[in-house]
Every structure is written in structure tokens, then in C-alpha cells.
Amino acid sequence: MTAIFFYIFLICIFSILIVGHYLGIKKALLLESEQKLKSRPYYYGWYCLIWMSIPAFLFYVILSILSFYKIFYFSPFLTYVFTFLFVVIGLLLSLKNITPKLNARVKVEKFIDILLLVCAGITILVTIGIVLSIFFESLKFFKNINIFDFIFGTKWEPDTAFLGGAGRGDEMVAEPKFGSVPLFAGTVMITLIAMFVAVPTGLFSAIYLSEYASKNIRKKIKPLLEILAGIPTVVYGFFAAITVSPLVVKIAESLGLKAEYTNALAPGIVMGIMIIPYISSLSDDVINAVPKSLREGSLALGTTKSETIKHVVLPAALPGIFSAIILAVSRAIGETMIVVMAAGLRPNLTLNPLEGMTTVTVRIVDALVGDQEFGSLETLSAFGLGFVLLLITLILNIFSMKIVRRFREKYE
């Protein structure tokens, strides 16, 4: 019955909001026929809508919060009734306020300013909430594991950690080890391979599309490149595991090298293909945004087209290109599915990309989806890894922003 009441309540609320909006415009048109108003009639419709919706919405949210935390219980039916009454009262008051002296445009625009400010504040609060939630959970992990052993340790062997969570920590088993260096080394290795594929390919594609390709070719090639960004990562994972990885093994054998089928090279290459559109599309837009006067000035001085691109266009577009690369790096660091399917789950500290290794995000997923108790060290290690990864990403972003600002100041 509660669900039915809720749907009836929603239908009634939306109906009266539409009617109130119409009545506000209607009254403004009637007044305008007698004397000039300070705003266009549709602003009065929005004025009524705001008066009806915002107080009622706040009332509903406050009552729901009080009921949820059992501070003050209000039955759902009475909540719907009183909310509806708030809407009706808002309609009557707003219609009464509509007079020739009322400047509805100023009221509505002030409300929109406040609404935008609230939206911006919500995004900041959500970000802070995410950081704090990871931070407090990671503290539980670091109370049991020394943070220096975690950051500088070279062994990741958490398999026996579940015994501690089950109260069997005193059994004669090997002590779990949470050295994160192999995981971060694997992340860096696979990300570097991906960027080695994506940066030159994406950047050269952007230069060709923006500087050399005709309009018809550009219209055909650019959408095809951007399709790569829409392919599900699980499809890339299949491609890496079934096609690229065996190919890597065969090529390595033909060169006299030994390669594992779950190697780091295959997911790195496929991940690089996946993020090409991030670099090519954004770089293309940035290069196109370089003022035409810069190109013409350079050509007027006698430089060739390639020299103009090298010495004028690319340096001017460098902040945007660098931002595109940072975005691609962040995408590569966070990728999980391709690594799981093609590189495996084995933490392996090595510089050989033909061996299997894993990444931080893969181990986070592995720690959270197992049948471990949530308070076990292995599960909590996911938050420790997430927190360190968050710090690294934050430092990377600050560093990139400084570089972008330096180049922007140089060319502004």
C-alpha cells in the first residue's frame, strides 16, 4: 500500500506543479494586458513553481530524515498529505505575490544562482565523503600492519590473513605479508606499456586529423576512432587473452625468449588501444582551438607547415594535450577487467613484461569479492591500497596542473 500511496502522491504533486506553473503565467498575462510587468510572463510561472516545490521538498526531506533516525516518527501517509498541503500553500502564496511590482526574473535568477552553488557544494562534499570513508577504513588496516612495511614491502601474501579474522591467528601457519611494492610496480609497468602505445598513436592521429586530413576524411575517421572508447572493457579483455597474449608468446618464442600466457605486455598493449580515443579526440579538439592567426603568422615568416606544427601549434596546444594524457593515465591506472583476464592475479615483482603480474585495482577487487570476513586484514587491505592509490593520483594531478598552468601562462 505504501508504494501505491507513493506513486499517487508523485502523480498529484507533478500535476499540481504543472497547473501552478500554468496559473502563474496566466495571471502574469492578465496583469500584462493592463500594465507593463517587470519580467516576461513565463518567469512568473517559474516563480510559482519554485514557491511550490522547494519548501515542500525540504519539508519532505527533513521529515524523512527524522523518521529514518527515529528522532520523530511521522507515518508515510501523513508525510504525503502534509507535503501536498505545502505545495498547495506555496501555490496560493506565490499567486498572491504576483503583482506588477514583482520582478520575477530577479527572484528566479537568484534561486538558480543558489541552486548552482548548492550543486557545486554537493560535489565537493561527496568527494570529501569518499576520501574520508576510505581513510577511516584504511586506518583499521594500518593499526595492524606497519605502514612502512606496507609501502616498502616486496611480498604480497595475504592468504593466511583470514585465520586472524576467524580467531585462529595463533595457529602454526605462515604470517600474512602485505608488501605493496609488487602491486604498484605491476600497475606502473602495465600503465607505461599502455601509454607507450596510446600517446604516439593518439597524438599523431590528432595531428593528422586537425592539420592534414580533408574535411570528408576527418568526418569518417574521427567517429571510428571514438568508437574504441565505447567498447566494453570485457571485450578488450577477451581480445587481450585470446588474441594478443598468444601472439606475444609466439613472437617471443621466435626471438628465443620465454613468455607466459598471462604476461603484462598483452594487457598493456590492449589497454593502450583502448585509451587512444582519450588522447586523439581531446588533442584534436585542443589543436583545432589554437588561433588561426598563430599559424598564419608563422607561415608568413617563411616556415614550412611541419615547422609551424612543431614550433607553434603543438607548444600552444601543449596544456590541453598534457591534460588528455593525464586523463588517459588515470583511466589506465583504474582499469581492472583487462588485467584480470590477460595478466592474472599473481603479485610478481619483475621488470620483465613477458611475465605475469597484477595491479592494485585487481587486488582491491579480489580482496573485496572473496568469502573473507569484512573485518579481516585481507579485506581491509583493499582500503589501504585504495588510500595509497588515491594519494598517488592526487599528487599526479597536482603535478600535472602545475605543468599545465606553467605552459598556459607562457602562451597567454
Side-chain angles (χ1 to χ4, degrees):
M1 289 299 289
T2 306
I4 295 173
F5 278 134
F6 181 72
Y7 290 126
I8 294 173
F9 165 71
L10 280 183
I11 292 170
C12 293
I13 290 290
F14 280 112
S15 301
I16 196 169
L17 288 177
I18 293 170
V19 171
H21 183 261
Y22 170 77
L23 290 177
I25 296 174
K26 187 78 175 173
K27 184 172 181 182
L29 287 172
L30 285 173
L31 291 173
E32 196 177 40
S33 63
E34 299 171 359
Q35 64 182 104
K36 189 176 181 181
L37 298 179
K38 293 184 176 180
S39 304
R40 299 295 301 157
Y42 62 85
Y43 277 110
Y44 294 90
W46 285 110
Y47 175 77
C48 287
L49 198 67
I50 292 168
W51 259 95
M52 288 189 293
S53 58
I54 299 304
F57 175 73
L58 292 176
F59 175 78
Y60 180 79
V61 169
I62 291 170
L63 272 189
S64 301
I65 292 172
L66 292 175
S67 298
F68 181 78
Y69 287 104
K70 299 179 180 176
I71 299 172
F72 179 77
Y73 181 73
F74 226 67
S75 71
F77 178 73
L78 288 177
T79 304
Y80 299 153
V81 171
F82 279 100
T83 305
F84 186 79
L85 286 176
F86 260 81
V87 175
V88 174
I89 293 169
L91 172 61
L92 297 175
L93 288 175
S94 58
L95 287 175
K96 184 183 176 185
N97 288 340
I98 295 178
T99 61
K101 293 181 180 179
L102 177 68
N103 192 336
R105 183 182 62 80
V106 173
K107 302 283 185 186
V108 171
E109 289 182 352
K110 186 177 286 185
F111 169 77
I112 291 173
D113 284 346
I114 296 171
L115 182 65
L116 295 176
L117 180 64
V118 170
C119 291
I122 288 173
T123 57
I124 294 170
L125 288 176
V126 168
T127 305
I128 293 172
I130 291 171
V131 173
L132 289 179
S133 64
I134 294 175
F135 173 72
F136 287 120
E137 291 297 333
S138 63
L139 277 183
K140 296 177 186 175
F141 175 71
F142 289 122
K143 281 180 182 174
N144 295 286
I145 301 297
N146 188 297
I147 189 168
F148 291 102
D149 293 340
F150 176 75
I151 293 175
F152 299 108
T154 56
K155 295 284 185 184
W156 184 268
E157 296 171 352
D159 296 338
T160 57
F162 74 95
L163 292 175
R168 296 163 55 191
D170 54 348
E171 293 185 6
M172 298 296 290
V173 292
E175 186 182 352
K177 294 178 181 176
F178 292 95
S180 63
V181 170
L183 308 183
F184 284 101
T187 303
V188 171
M189 170 71 81
I190 293 176
T191 302
L192 283 177
I193 295 170
M195 299 315 294
F196 186 75
V197 173
V199 171
T201 311
L203 188 55
F204 291 158
S205 302
I207 293 172
Y208 171 73
L209 289 174
S210 59
E211 299 294 329
Y212 293 102
S214 65
K215 286 186 179 178
N216 286 333
I217 292 177
R218 177 185 162 84
K219 282 181 182 176
K220 291 175 183 173
I221 292 181
K222 192 171 181 183
L224 289 175
L225 268 175
E226 290 173 347
I227 285 175
L228 288 173
I231 297 175
T233 54
V234 68
V235 176
Y236 281 113
F238 281 127
F239 178 60
I242 296 173
T243 305
V244 180
S245 195
L247 189 63
V248 168
V249 173
K250 284 183 182 176
I251 293 173
E253 287 175 351
S254 68
L255 296 173
L257 301 172
K258 185 180 178 183
E260 298 175 4
Y261 275 93
T262 53
N263 56 72
L265 191 58
I269 293 171
V270 175
M271 202 184 292
I273 295 170
M274 183 186 71
I275 60 178
I276 283 174
Y278 289 84
I279 298 176
S280 65
S281 185
L282 290 174
S283 299
D284 176 48
D285 293 338
V286 171
I287 291 172
N288 273 317
V290 173
K292 196 176 178 183
S293 58
L294 287 178
R295 292 182 177 83
E296 291 174 345
S298 174
L299 293 171
L301 291 173
T303 60
T304 63
K305 187 168 185 175
S306 60
E307 289 171 337
T308 299
I309 294 170
K310 183 179 176 184
H311 298 292
V312 176
V313 177
L314 288 182
L318 201 56
I321 294 172
F322 198 77
S323 299
I325 293 173
I326 292 297
L327 180 65
V329 170
S330 301
R331 182 71 181 83
I333 289 175
E335 176 52 38
T336 306
M337 186 59 73
I338 297 174
V339 183
V340 170
M341 297 178 73
L345 298 170
R346 184 165 65 98
N348 183 21
L349 184 58
T350 177
L351 290 174
N352 186 1
L354 299 177
E355 293 183 17
M357 57 183 71
T358 193
T359 62
V360 173
T361 52
V362 171
R363 292 310 305 187
I364 289 174
V365 172
D366 186 54
L368 290 175
V369 299
D371 54 358
Q372 307 286 326
E373 185 187 4
F374 188 78
S376 71
L377 281 177
E378 184 171 2
T379 306
L380 291 176
S381 68
F383 296 99
L385 289 170
F387 184 67
V388 175
L389 189 64
L390 185 67
L391 286 181
I392 292 173
T393 309
L394 182 65
I395 293 169
L396 192 67
N397 282 333
I398 293 172
F399 177 69
S400 64
M401 285 170 64
K402 284 190 174 181
I403 292 180
V404 168
R405 193 174 296 127
R406 182 177 299 174
F407 277 98
R408 189 172 292 163
E409 287 171 354
K410 186 176 177 181
Y411 283 91
E412 277 182 352

